Structure formats: structure tokens, C-alpha cells
Amino acid sequence: MAILRLVGRRLVSSVPLLFLVSALTFVLVSLVPGDPARTLVGQHATAEQYAAVRAQLGLDRSLPLQYGHWLAGAVKGDLGSSLFSGEPVSSMLDSRLPVTLSLILAGTLVSGLLGVGLGVLSARRGGRLVRTVDALALLGLGVPAFWLALVLILLFAVRLRWFPVTGYVPLTEDPGQWLRALVLPIASLSLGGVAVIAKQTRDAVLDTLGRDFVRVMTANGFSPRSITYRHVLRNSALPLVTVLGVVLVSLFAGTVFVETVFAMPGLGGLIQQATVEHDIPVIQGAVLYVTVFVVLVNLAVDLAYSRLDPRVRAA
């Protein structure tokens, strides 16, 4: 019951956030220079043609009315249609969501496994590994994902031809080609996450290793491996869960650039295209999807907290 109450509180508190983000996005997008109606009719259209297209798209109404119309449909699950293609926004987003989720979830998994592994090793052995983790953290935070993507394409796709340069193959069609298509994008996305998680893991493990219970277990003859992997990691898990949540959300932003570089049909490319075209319904729908994703990630972090630390359930 405590878990259900926690989930209920988090979901209820997220409703004002969804409303605020959608309203702010609508206002900001409307203030950006650009006119979808003018793009559709062209520069040589008459004033009557231009006015007719604006009325057809609903752009002749005031901003509060436009937002109210969108919000009324969104509450019912209708995010409207693209101003240019006429395709339902929900269908456009749903068709591209698996690509983006594949990149995000796989990137988080790779970042978590490599980051925790490097962090634990550097905490236990010290020396060069500590300096390596610090250098990796500096490199991962300083190198842009899109630049690393271009370097990886040049080396592993163009010269060595180990992986495809661009494109995406659905998992259901060919699992092998799906995996090959994801290797370079995931490598581009994961470097920063690996660096951050490795440094956080090392610091958390070193802090836990200095506690009294570790000294007592060592004096009683427990093996270092058992102490590290069965007790120290569990006591270091709370800050690691926080970092994993941050990495998971940050990878969503990174997919915008990586999907563009690798020509992958994900949400990132769609958001970029909609922004250039000033396609307000698509932008609104995409921002709503991203906000829901962030809310779900935060909820997962809270549930992990409650699992690792029972005091959170009573908060």
C-alpha cells in the first residue's frame, strides 16, 4: 500500500507539470519566427489564399483559443494532426518512438554496466585506474555526442566497414542488423554516461569502504569481493540510482543529434523537422511525450529509492 500511495502522489503531482510545460511550449513556439500558412501557400499566393489557409489551420484564432482547442483534444488522447502532412500526431510519434527508446534504453544499459564496472575497479585498485576514470569523465563531458558520432562513422563505418553508416532496421525484421545499426549510435551516446557513472560509483564506493561496518567485516575475515559486491554496492546504490536517472533523461536530448547524424527515423529527427517547419501540433505532441517520459523516469527512481531505503516509503 505504501508503494501505491507513493505512485499515486507522484502521478497526481505530475499533472500540473504536464499542463505548465505544454502551455509554456505553445507560447514559446508561437513566438518563434515562422508561418506555416505562408510556407504552405508560397510567397506568391494572394492575400485571400493566405487568409483561407490560416483559417483552415486555425491559426487565425487567438493563442488562448488555439491552446484551449489543443488541450481539449489532448485530454481525450487526440494530439491533432500535422499542419503539413495531415497525419495524426500520435501516429507519427508512435511510429518513431521504438527507435528512440532502443537508443535510450540500450545506451543507459551500456553506460550503467561499464560505468559501475569501471568505478568499482578504480575504487578497489586505485592507481592508474583512478586517473583513467578522471580522464574519461573529463573526455565524456567535453566531447559532443554528434562529433563523436562523426568520428565513429569515419573509422568503423567508412574505413573498416564493420557497421552501417546510416539507417535503422526494426528488431522484428532482422535482430542482427538491428543490433549492428545501433552499435555506433549507442557508442556515441554512452561515452558521457559511462564517464559520469564511473566517477560517481568510484566516489560512492570509496566513501562506503571507509565506514565502520566494512572494517568490522574485514576484521572478521569476509572476502574483499563479498564485501564489495554484496554490501558496499548496496549501500552505495542511492546516489547511483540518481545518476542513472539523470543519464537516462540526458540521453533523450542526445538522440536529437545522434539520430540526425545516423539518419535514424526516431523522435529526434521528427522534432528537428517539426521545429524547422514550425509544425506546432507535432512539436506540442513531442514535448508532451518527452515530459511523460521524464515523469516516468522520476517515478522509477522514486520506486528504486523506496526499495533500497524503506524510510522513503514513509516520507
Side-chain angles (χ1 to χ4, degrees):
M1 293 299 295
I3 296 295
L4 293 179
R5 287 196 298 268
L6 175 63
V7 172
R9 289 200 304 269
R10 295 297 186 268
L11 292 179
V12 170
S13 64
S14 67
V15 174
L17 174 65
L18 293 173
F19 172 76
L20 179 62
V21 170
S22 65
L24 186 60
T25 301
F26 192 88
V27 172
L28 293 177
V29 172
S30 301
L31 295 177
V32 173
D35 190 342
R38 176 59 65 187
T39 303
L40 286 171
V41 300
Q43 297 297 324
H44 302 291
T46 63
E48 291 77 11
Q49 292 173 328
Y50 173 68
V53 171
R54 282 185 60 84
Q56 181 182 358
L57 298 178
L59 299 176
D60 59 334
R61 292 176 289 184
S62 64
L63 287 182
L65 287 178
Q66 291 183 48
Y67 177 72
H69 177 74
W70 177 87
L71 183 61
V75 170
K76 301 175 183 177
D78 180 13
L79 299 180
S81 301
S82 169
L83 299 181
F84 292 88
S85 67
E87 184 180 354
V89 172
S90 298
S91 299
M92 297 175 66
L93 297 174
D94 291 342
S95 64
R96 292 171 174 260
L97 189 60
V99 180
T100 301
L101 287 181
S102 297
L103 289 173
I104 293 173
L105 296 179
T108 304
L109 179 62
V110 171
S111 298
L113 293 176
L114 293 180
V116 171
L118 279 174
V120 171
L121 285 176
S122 64
R124 289 185 59 189
R125 299 185 179 181
R128 290 185 178 180
L129 272 177
V130 173
R131 294 190 292 271
T132 300
V133 169
D134 289 337
L136 180 63
L138 183 62
L139 182 66
L141 296 175
V143 174
F146 69 88
W147 181 86
L148 180 60
L150 294 175
V151 173
L152 293 177
I153 289 175
L154 179 62
L155 181 59
F156 293 103
V158 176
R159 292 187 179 179
L160 299 177
R161 299 184 180 180
W162 291 353
F163 305 103
V165 177
T166 58
Y168 175 81
V169 178
L171 175 63
T172 54
E173 291 185 10
D174 190 333
Q177 292 300 320
W178 169 80
L179 184 59
R180 291 184 71 243
L182 289 180
V183 169
L184 294 185
I186 290 173
S188 306
L189 285 172
S190 301
L191 178 60
V194 171
V196 172
I197 293 173
K199 188 168 179 22
Q200 181 65 53
T201 302
R202 186 197 67 194
D203 294 343
V205 169
L206 285 175
D207 178 70
T208 307
L209 285 173
R211 296 183 182 177
D212 293 336
F213 79 91
V214 175
R215 299 190 184 96
V216 172
M217 294 179 70
T218 303
N220 288 331
F222 285 82
S223 67
R225 181 180 296 273
S226 174
I227 294 174
T228 300
Y229 294 103
R230 295 186 60 182
H231 302 280
V232 171
L233 270 181
R234 181 177 179 84
N235 283 273
S236 306
L238 285 180
L240 297 184
V241 168
T242 303
V243 173
L244 279 173
V246 173
V247 169
L248 190 58
V249 173
S250 66
L251 289 184
F252 211 126
T255 57
V256 176
F257 303 102
V258 171
E259 287 175 3
T260 302
V261 173
F262 289 96
M264 304 186 75
L267 286 180
L270 180 63
I271 293 173
Q272 184 186 44
Q273 178 185 352
T275 303
V276 172
E277 295 177 345
H278 209 71
D279 198 340
I280 298 178
V282 176
I283 297 174
Q284 284 288 110
V287 170
L288 183 63
Y289 270 47
V290 173
T291 307
V292 170
F293 175 79
V294 173
V295 169
L296 293 177
V297 170
N298 289 332
L299 178 59
V301 170
D302 288 340
L303 292 177
Y305 275 179
S306 67
R307 177 71 176 177
L308 295 169
D309 188 350
R311 292 173 298 180
V312 178
R313 303 175 195 174

